[in-house]
Amino acid sequence: MSFNVAVLVSGNGSNLQALIDSPKLAASTVAIVKVISNVPSAFALTRAERANIPSRVIEHRGFDSREAFDRAIVDELQQARVDLVVLAGFMRVITPVLLEAFRYRVVNVHPALLPAFPGMHGVRQALAYGVRVAGCTVHLVDAGVDTGPILAQSVVNVLDEDDEASLAARIHAEEHRLLPQAVCWFAENRVSITEVEGRARARIRRDDHEPRL
Amino acid sequence: MSFNVAVLVSGNGSNLQALIDSPKLAASTVAIVKVISNVPSAFALTRAERANIPSRVIEHRGFDSREAFDRAIVDELQQARVDLVVLAGFMRVITPVLLEAFRYRVVNVHPALLPAFPGMHGVRQALAYGVRVAGCTVHLVDAGVDTGPILAQSVVNVLDEDDEASLAARIHAEEHRLLPQAVCWFAENRVSITEVEGRARARIRRDDHEPRL
């Protein structure tokens, strides 16, 4: 039986490509069954087509509210029997309509070591602050902005000569490694959620065959 | 000519001990010329005595204001011809009296990857949030709480089985490595401060003999 993943995109879709190209995913039960874009011109749609993944454009402009837009997405996801939703450069705020339909099953990747530098310009803000280490975070989406339970983080050293583009490039390379890994954890049923003092926390059960980090 | 360092403490003083024991510092021009504690019973004072470093207790309770307390510290530091002030578990808020007398010459070490988890309980907060990477930050002190220009950061992986004590122990080991390194950078005159868009940023000039990180 396959573990069905949908990827929501708005633009270039390099993280979608990383999922398509991942040998780890190819060797797993994961099937990318649907790509949904809110932007008709998103290059991610071309990536989906090249990989023979069904795609659908759902333009947010066509809806009266965020909730109605999310309802249309949820309908599409449920028709495709989706188990996990991956936000890969999806530039819309998610409402409880989607979060409740896919409770603890919506994953996002953010180009900063959360909780530092949430929001739209994580890389730029990290550079402006002057941090020496940056990175990326794969996390479950909750009602806040980049506040959900963390699944995985990876660190990138900031170099003196970095600008936003050079640092972002190294961070994105880590995203492309981390995101397929996290999707596999879901497919292998290794992610558990516990609430500790009102905050949901994700734990990844270790595979006995896996070397300790 | 020696580069004179003073260490301000309130408690155990393990970072003071790391400075005392550092082979790197021993091989440099750095001299720890003074230890100041605001707590008479601080074990750091015993560490200073064992290392034959002059120490002084200046109790904050004896002063009418934070500024008057800082003035007494500045007097002591200036008498000892101090070039750099290191806060090593010094549990008092620093005022502009000290900051202006030692502009960009007051260093602190914090057990988190700033700007995440500033304040008193960085390790506990990181664990409660559920981050996968933690660490420590050596930074210049400014008027904010743990907001000053970053000199160095080091990363520690958070393990599933970590509690506050076990994670803090690994973070402190990194502090003990990072802090002497940063003090040496000052002694070697390799730290430069630039203001970018209203925010001070520290840069460390690379030594040509030094491998790139």
Side-chain angles (χ1 to χ4, degrees), chain B residues 40-60:
Chain B
S41 61
F43 182 65
L45 292 166
T46 303
R47 297 183 192 272
E49 192 183 351
R50 287 176 184 169
N52 292 313
I53 300 168
S55 66
R56 174 82 190 276
V57 174
I58 304 179
E59 289 188 80
H60 56 277

Side-chain angles (χ1 to χ4, degrees), chain A residues 127 129 132 153 199 202, chain B residues 127 129 132 153 199 201-202:
Chain A
L127 269 180
Y129 192 94
R132 300 282 155 165
Q153 296 187 295
R199 178 170 168 80
Chain B
L127 269 181
Y129 192 94
R132 300 282 155 164
Q153 295 186 296
R199 178 170 168 78
R201 294 270 303 273

Side-chain angles (χ1 to χ4, degrees), chain A residues 151-179:
Chain A
L151 296 161
Q153 296 187 295
S154 185
V155 170
V156 167
N157 285 321
V158 179
L159 307 179
D160 285 347
E161 58 270 30
D162 266 327
D163 58 19
E164 189 179 351
S166 66
L167 179 57
R170 293 203 310 288
I171 290 173
H172 290 152
E174 284 304 297
E175 294 180 6
H176 299 163
R177 194 177 64 77
L178 220 55
L179 182 59

Side-chain angles (χ1 to χ4, degrees), chain A residues 101-176:
Chain A
F102 290 88
R103 185 166 168 79
Y104 298 138
R105 293 273 161 171
V106 182
V107 167
N108 185 41
V109 54
H110 181 78
L113 292 176
L114 293 173
F117 311 119
M120 286 289 290
H121 301 291
V123 179
R124 190 182 309 170
Q125 285 171 14
L127 269 180
Y129 192 94
V131 292
R132 300 282 155 165
V133 294
C136 60
T137 303
V138 177
H139 65 95
L140 288 167
V141 178
D142 67 10
V145 175
D146 300 322
T147 53
I150 291 175
L151 296 161
Q153 296 187 295
S154 185
V155 170
V156 167
N157 285 321
V158 179
L159 307 179
D160 285 347
E161 58 270 30
D162 266 327
D163 58 19
E164 189 179 351
S166 66
L167 179 57
R170 293 203 310 288
I171 290 173
H172 290 152
E174 284 304 297
E175 294 180 6
H176 299 163

Side-chain angles (χ1 to χ4, degrees), chain A residues 74-106:
Chain A
V74 167
D75 288 346
E76 187 76 23
L77 295 172
Q78 288 176 337
Q79 275 175 39
R81 301 183 176 278
V82 164
D83 297 304
L84 183 72
V85 181
V86 175
L87 309 185
F90 184 63
M91 304 304 276
R92 304 298 300 170
V93 172
I94 301 296
T95 73
V97 169
L98 176 53
L99 292 177
E100 286 166 16
F102 290 88
R103 185 166 168 79
Y104 298 138
R105 293 273 161 171
V106 182

